[in-house]
Amino acid sequence: MIRIRRVYDPAFEDEGLRVLVDRLWPRGVRKADLAMDLWAKDLAPSSELRQWYCHEPERFPEFSQRYREELRHALTPQHTVLAAALHGNVTLLYAARDPLLNQARVLQQVLMHRCAARARRSKAS
């Protein structure tokens, strides 16, 4: 299962690998206080894309498309997050205010798609 949660929400026991997917450290959160296993800056949107998007809802469709393109190169088959998603629970952590229009939601969809594709290939073998 691949979940997404704000970094400001409390952690639960069954969340599996907890991965921060923001390029910048979240405001107001001490590193010692964030229950996290991995900070995957390499899976966060590029600084240029993040600055262009600026959390403007009307830009989200294009942001999502551009970010998916970045993920095509960043999310390799050997990436720790993809491997964890294939074998257990993963929780993607983000700091954005909007729970629907953020990079973690896009990454969640990409991971789910890749996991489903891998499962289909396994069944066909």
Side-chain angles (χ1 to χ4, degrees):
M1 178 177 290
I2 303 166
R3 297 181 180 98
I4 65 170
R5 296 182 52 79
R6 287 191 79 213
V7 295
Y8 308 104
D9 296 336
F12 295 108
E13 287 186 31
D14 66 344
E15 292 186 322
L17 184 74
R18 288 176 51 90
V19 183
L20 177 62
V21 294
D22 283 349
R23 189 161 298 275
L24 303 176
W25 190 261
R27 291 182 188 176
V29 177
R30 291 185 23 211
K31 288 184 181 181
D33 293 340
L34 182 58
M36 151 188 101
D37 301 302
L38 175 67
W39 184 5
K41 291 182 195 178
D42 59 327
L43 295 184
S46 65
S47 295
E48 297 81 13
L49 181 57
R50 182 181 51 78
Q51 290 169 356
W52 172 83
Y53 173 46
C54 200
H55 297 284
E56 294 183 25
E58 66 276 2
R59 290 186 176 180
F60 188 75
E62 186 172 346
F63 165 81
S64 178
Q65 182 179 8
R66 289 182 185 186
Y67 181 39
R68 287 172 190 273
E69 183 61 30
E70 289 182 357
L71 287 171
R72 278 188 50 228
H73 304 287
L75 189 61
T76 64
Q78 300 82 18
H79 199 286
T80 303
V81 175
L82 181 57
L86 288 166
H87 301 290
N89 293 336
V90 172
T91 301
L92 305 173
L93 304 171
Y94 67 96
R97 288 186 181 134
D98 192 323
L100 298 176
L101 305 180
N102 64 66
Q103 81 278 6
R105 180 79 56 196
V106 176
L107 179 54
Q108 178 190 39
Q109 293 168 353
V110 168
L111 285 168
M112 289 179 0
H113 175 76
R114 294 232 189 142
C115 288
R118 174 93 42 106
R120 284 191 301 274
R121 284 194 303 273
S122 293
K123 278 186 175 180
S125 298

